[in-house]
């Protein structure tokens, strides 16, 4: 999720080292000729698994989103990274995937880690997984902390069915369109958001889902100042304005009720339906047909939240008139 590993006080650090020493007696198999995606702590360093410690020490190559954070994490865990360390991030992962896989093909263990949480979940890793599959090379996971699952479990909202939407779009227009697409979503919805956009995003959530939909805002997960704010969208928005949260956040929003989902469906019209509606609007309101088309298209977004092509609607109008 892009969060750094939290700095703990001396006692906690000593405890982490002691745990590492205790876990060093555990035999952890290091799979040769394999890509291993390993989850790293999202806040509390004590969440690091014995497998992660062993992999950091014994992998032949460690592909890290940020090499400085990798070494910082290793120091906190009291382990030494013995393999070759490679910077592997959003800007170079496609170019580096095949080179890393060439090493896997000759028997190397390639460990892939992000700054926090599981690689590929809003972090680098997908490119090497896809190429490994295409090349018939083995890929496995060393699971661990997940901000998505932590927030979902703590939200108090239904967990039997949910969808993960990642970070909300940066631009207002794209964010509004994306949220429109989700208005009829019945599953619990999970988003990431940053402190720089949380105020605007809460306004857009209110507009898209209304004031009474339940949600939770989860911040600083697993850290000393972990906070879960639960309530309606209107209550959370007011709380964000009165007491702005810091750090990266996970937003968990309840899915649409049957009534809410049903109210969205009638707004979806075909191009031909929009053409008929535009002709009627033009006649009733004395508008030019292109003005009527613009109004109708704006009032009836498509299922994905985008707007119909006005030229296509205009061609449909001409076909009806012919």
């Amino acid at each position: 999720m892009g969060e750094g590993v939290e700095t703990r006080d001396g006692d906690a650090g000593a405890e982490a080292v002691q745990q590492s020493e205790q876990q060093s007696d555990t035999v952890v198999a290091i799979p040769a000729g394999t890509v291993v995606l390993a989850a790293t702590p999202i806040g509390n360093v004590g969440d690091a698994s014995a497998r992660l410690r062993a992999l950091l020490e014994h992998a032949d190559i460690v592909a890290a989103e940020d090499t400085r954070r990798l070494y910082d994490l290793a120091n906190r865990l009291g382990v030494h990274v013995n393999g070759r360390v490679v910077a592997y991030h959003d800007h170079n992962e496609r170019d580096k995937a095949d080179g890393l896989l060439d090493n896997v093909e000759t028997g190397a263990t390639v460990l892939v880690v992000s700054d926090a949480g599981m690689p590929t979940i809003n972090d680098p890793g997908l490119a090497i997984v896809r190429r490994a599959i295409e090349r018939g090379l083995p890929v496995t996971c060393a699971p661990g902390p997940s901000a998505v699952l932590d927030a979902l479990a703590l939200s108090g909202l239904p967990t039997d069915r949910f969808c993960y939407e990642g970070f909300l779009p940066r631009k207002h227009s794209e964010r509004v369109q994306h949220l429109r697409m989700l208005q009829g979503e019945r599953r619990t919805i999970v988003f990431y958001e940053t402190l720089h956009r949380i105020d605007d995003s809460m306004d857009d959530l209110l507009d898209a889902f209304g004031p009474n939909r339940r949600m939770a805002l989860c911040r600083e997960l697993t850290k000393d100042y972990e906070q879960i704010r639960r309530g309606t969208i209107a209550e959370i928005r007011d709380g964000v304005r009165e007491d702005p949260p810091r750090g990266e956040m996970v937003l968990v929003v309840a899915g649409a009720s049957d009534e809410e989902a049903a109210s969205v469906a009638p707004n979806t019209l075909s191009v031909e339906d929009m053409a008929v509606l535009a002709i009627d609007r033009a006649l009733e309101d004395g508008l030019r047909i292109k003005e009527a088309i613009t109004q109708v298209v704006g009032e009836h977004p498509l299922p994905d939240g985008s707007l119909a092509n006005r030229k296509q609607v205009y061609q449909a109008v001409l076909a009806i008139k012919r």
Side-chain angles (χ1 to χ4, degrees):
M1 186 179 159
E3 292 179 283
V5 176
E6 179 191 20
T7 302
R8 291 271 163 173
D9 58 28
D11 291 340
E15 181 182 355
V17 173
Q18 183 179 5
Q19 289 174 348
S20 177
E21 291 172 348
Q22 292 171 348
Q23 292 168 341
S24 64
D25 296 332
T26 303
V27 177
V28 178
I30 307 298
T34 303
V35 176
V36 184
L37 308 176
T40 54
I42 61 174
N44 191 325
V45 74
D47 293 333
S49 68
R51 285 182 69 190
L52 175 63
R53 288 178 166 87
L55 286 162
L56 287 172
E57 286 190 314
H58 300 295
D60 300 296
I61 300 173
V62 181
E65 184 178 8
D66 187 320
T67 58
R68 291 171 299 180
R69 290 194 177 187
L70 168 69
Y71 286 119
D72 181 61
L73 174 62
N75 287 335
R76 295 181 194 283
L77 296 177
V79 300
H80 181 71
V81 179
N82 293 296
R84 177 162 61 95
V85 175
V86 176
Y88 187 73
H89 45 72
D90 289 333
H91 304 295
N92 71 2
E93 64 169 323
R94 291 182 182 175
D95 295 333
K96 295 222 171 176
D98 274 310
L100 292 168
L101 291 172
D102 289 342
N103 290 278
V104 171
E105 210 159 31
T106 61
T109 300
V110 173
L111 175 65
V112 180
V113 293
S114 62
D115 291 346
M118 176 61 73
T120 78
I121 309 300
N122 256 96
D123 281 321
L126 182 58
I128 196 169
V129 171
R130 284 179 170 172
R131 285 297 294 143
I133 294 169
E134 290 169 0
R135 293 175 58 167
L137 297 171
V139 184
T140 190
C141 280
S146 166
V148 174
L149 297 182
D150 285 1
L152 186 66
L154 294 170
S155 69
L157 297 171
T159 60
D160 53 337
R161 297 175 68 244
F162 71 94
C163 61
Y164 168 61
E165 292 292 320
F167 281 98
L168 282 164
R170 294 170 181 265
K171 294 182 179 179
H172 171 69
S173 60
E174 294 176 0
R175 193 164 56 243
V176 168
Q177 178 176 316
H178 188 70
L179 292 173
R180 276 181 183 172
M181 177 186 69
L182 296 169
Q183 284 177 327
E185 176 58 67
R186 288 182 167 88
R187 296 171 294 179
T188 300
I189 312 168
V190 184
F191 302 102
Y192 282 161
E193 194 49 282
T194 67
L195 65 92
H196 305 294
R197 297 194 298 271
I198 186 61
D199 195 52
D200 291 337
S201 291
M202 287 305 308
D203 286 342
D204 293 336
L205 284 170
L206 183 69
D207 290 339
F209 301 132
N212 299 319
R213 185 87 68 93
R214 304 294 299 181
M215 72 167 292
L217 185 156
C218 310
R219 56 178 291 271
E220 301 291 277
L221 288 169
T222 78
K223 298 181 181 180
D224 286 340
Y225 298 103
E226 176 180 284
Q227 182 187 58
I228 314 297
R229 303 184 185 185
R230 303 177 183 89
T232 64
I233 289 178
E235 290 168 344
I236 300 298
R237 185 198 63 169
D238 292 344
V240 165
R241 290 179 173 176
E242 295 167 5
D243 180 19
R246 297 181 180 180
E248 289 184 351
M249 288 152 266
V250 186
L251 309 179
V252 187
V253 181
S257 65
D258 291 342
E259 293 78 12
E260 288 170 326
S263 69
V264 176
N267 292 328
T268 302
L269 299 180
S270 67
V271 168
E272 291 73 20
D273 289 338
M274 291 186 193
V276 172
L277 193 57
I279 292 171
D280 291 343
R281 179 75 59 85
L283 292 173
E284 292 173 1
D285 296 347
L287 300 174
R288 295 175 56 194
I289 191 63
K290 289 188 177 180
E291 293 176 1
I293 289 172
T294 298
Q295 289 184 10
V296 169
V297 167
E299 293 168 1
H300 299 277
L302 300 176
D304 66 353
S306 63
L307 300 178
N309 187 305
R310 286 179 293 177
K311 290 183 179 179
Q312 291 180 352
V313 178
Y314 183 68
Q315 291 301 319
V317 168
L318 295 181
I320 292 170
K321 288 186 174 181
R322 283 197 295 268

